[in-house]
Amino acid sequence: MNKEDITPILEEEINELVTNCDRFITLKHSSVCPYAFTEQGVAMLSAVLHSDTAVQVSIRIMNAFA
């Protein structure tokens, strides 16, 4: 995985995640900056992961970028 395939989540994005999704509440007090996959990173994952579930999840994520 290249550095271009992931990007740090900004503090304002973390706050939005915590506000909108209860399951991310632990991010609110985390001292670690989480990362997210870029569109290219998702494409790379879909090329490596071959299960039906992985393919479906990759398609959904790619559609989110569309």
Side-chain angles (χ1 to χ4, degrees):
M1 188 77 30
N2 297 323
K3 287 186 176 185
E4 297 85 29
D5 297 330
I6 57 174
T7 185
I9 299 176
L10 303 174
E11 187 173 341
E12 57 210 32
E13 294 169 325
I14 292 172
N15 292 335
E16 185 176 341
L17 275 172
V18 170
T19 300
N20 295 323
C21 303
D22 291 339
R23 67 181 180 180
F24 293 115
I25 195 74
T26 55
L27 286 177
K28 186 174 186 177
H29 304 291
S30 177
S31 60
V32 178
C33 180
Y35 285 82
F37 287 105
T38 62
E39 185 176 0
Q40 292 80 17
V42 172
M44 178 171 289
L45 281 176
S46 67
V48 193
L49 303 174
H50 296 291
S51 73
D52 290 338
T53 303
V55 170
Q56 291 303 314
V57 169
S58 295
I59 290 170
R60 287 181 181 176
I61 294 171
M62 294 298 286
N63 287 337
F65 285 98

